[in-house]
Structures are given as structure tokens and as C-alpha cells.
């Protein structure tokens, strides 16, 4: 089986980002990569997401350079992939960042399970010891994409 590979335009990449809500986020610390699944929302050049404190947030705070990969599988055997090269921006719970936090929440909460991946942790914690949740964004630097169509 062979495929025809086609680069996506910026408009096509933006459309994929607007339609999607799940991707794989890569961050790096001391030359060690780390990739995790995230739910996200996209609007006007910013990807919004949510997390609890942990390795991902610690590493993004130490190195703001991140990458997000989104894929879609079409009918049949084809696929589309968009890769975002971006910069991590945390939206602390302060007056200065209030509008960004509200923007993130308003976009993310449109989906009933928006909080699941970001809030789940493998260890059980008593309710009162839960750490503060973190809203963050990925400011887009470069967006590229490709689609593969079976060449039957």
C-alpha cells in the first residue's frame, strides 16, 4: 500500500486545531523528553489546557519550549497530523491573569470531560490535600501539518 502525502496549509492546520480537543504534549527537561496526553481548546493562536501540579508542569516551568501533536484518522486508512511548536504560558490565579484563566475555562468547559486527563493522578489523595489546579496556554510559534491519502 502506498500513500500520497500532502502538506497542509496554515488555514487547514488552524481548522484541525479548532476541531480537535485531544493531543500529545511533549516537554523536555535536562535533555529528557516527556510526552503526555492532554485535552485542549484552541482560539486565536493560543492552545488552552488544564493540569494539576506534577512532572509536566514542573518541566514546562523549567523549559517553556513545548510541542503538541494532534492526529485524526479519516475514513479508511488515511490520516492527518498537525504539529505545534510553542511556548508554555502559565495563567496564575491572580488579577493580572484573570482574563486568560476565564478564557481557558470558558473554552474548555464546553466539553463535559475537559478536566479528566489534567486532574487524574495515580496516587489517591484526601480531598482537602488536593493542590491548586493550573490553567496554562501554549502560544503558537510554528504550526505544520500533513495528510496521507491512500493511493489505491
Amino acid at each position: 500500500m502506498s500513500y500520497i502525502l500532502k502538506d497542509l496549509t496554515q488555514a487547514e492546520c488552524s481548522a484541525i486545531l479548532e476541531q480537535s480537543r485531544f493531543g500529545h504534549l511533549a516537554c523536555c527537561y535536562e535533555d529528557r523528553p516527556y510526552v503526555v496526553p492532554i485535552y485542549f481548546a484552541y482560539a486565536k493562536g493560543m492552545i488552552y489546557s488544564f493540569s494539576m501540579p506534577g512532572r509536566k508542569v514542573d518541566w514546562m516551568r523549567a523549559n517553556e519550549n513545548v510541542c503538541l501533536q494532534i492526529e485524526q484518522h479519516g475514513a479508511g486508512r488515511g490520516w492527518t497530523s498537525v504539529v505545534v511548536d510553542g511556548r508554555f504560558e502559565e495563567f496564575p490565579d491572580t488579577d493580572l491573569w484573570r482574563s486568560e484563566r476565564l478564557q481557558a475555562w470558558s473554552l474548555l468547559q464546553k466539553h463535559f470531560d475537559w478536566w479528566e486527563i489534567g486532574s487524574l493522578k495515580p496516587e489517591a489523595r484526601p480531598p482537602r490535600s488536593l493542590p491548586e489546579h493550573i490553567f496554562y496556554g501554549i502560544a503558537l510559534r510554528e504550526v505544520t501539518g500533513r495528510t496521507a491519502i491512500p493511493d489505491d
Side-chain angles (χ1 to χ4, degrees), residues 6-22 40-47 68-72 79-85 140-147:
K6 175 186 169 276
D7 289 330
L8 299 178
T9 65
Q10 289 300 298
E12 290 169 325
C13 289
S14 290
I16 297 293
L17 290 173
E18 288 170 1
Q19 297 165 11
S20 301
R21 56 185 294 266
F22 178 81
F40 69 91
Y42 170 76
K44 300 176 185 162
M46 181 69 77
I47 291 171
L68 180 68
Q69 186 267 338
I70 299 100
E71 65 188 62
Q72 294 181 339
W79 53 263
T80 300
S81 177
V82 172
V83 176
V84 174
D85 171 27
L140 279 60
R141 287 188 182 128
E142 182 181 19
V143 180
T144 58
R146 287 194 173 159
T147 190

Side-chain angles (χ1 to χ4, degrees), residues 12-79:
E12 290 169 325
C13 289
S14 290
I16 297 293
L17 290 173
E18 288 170 1
Q19 297 165 11
S20 301
R21 56 185 294 266
F22 178 81
H24 290 92
L25 177 69
C27 51
C28 190
Y29 178 70
E30 295 181 350
D31 295 328
R32 291 178 50 211
Y34 185 57
V35 178
V36 293
I38 65 166
Y39 284 137
F40 69 91
Y42 170 76
K44 300 176 185 162
M46 181 69 77
I47 291 171
Y48 295 93
S49 194
F50 160 86
S51 184
M52 299 300 277
R55 180 189 295 186
K56 170 181 69 219
V57 173
D58 291 343
W59 285 24
M60 290 190 299
R61 285 173 175 162
N63 180 353
E64 67 183 18
N65 299 305
V66 298
C67 183
L68 180 68
Q69 186 267 338
I70 299 100
E71 65 188 62
Q72 294 181 339
H73 295 275
R77 300 174 305 266
W79 53 263

Side-chain angles (χ1 to χ4, degrees), residues 92-112:
D93 192 8
T94 65
D95 288 341
L96 180 63
W97 292 99
R98 180 173 173 73
S99 65
E100 288 293 339
R101 286 176 65 86
L102 288 175
Q103 172 76 345
W105 181 82
S106 70
L107 292 170
L108 291 165
Q109 62 84 32
K110 291 179 182 178
H111 304 282
F112 74 95

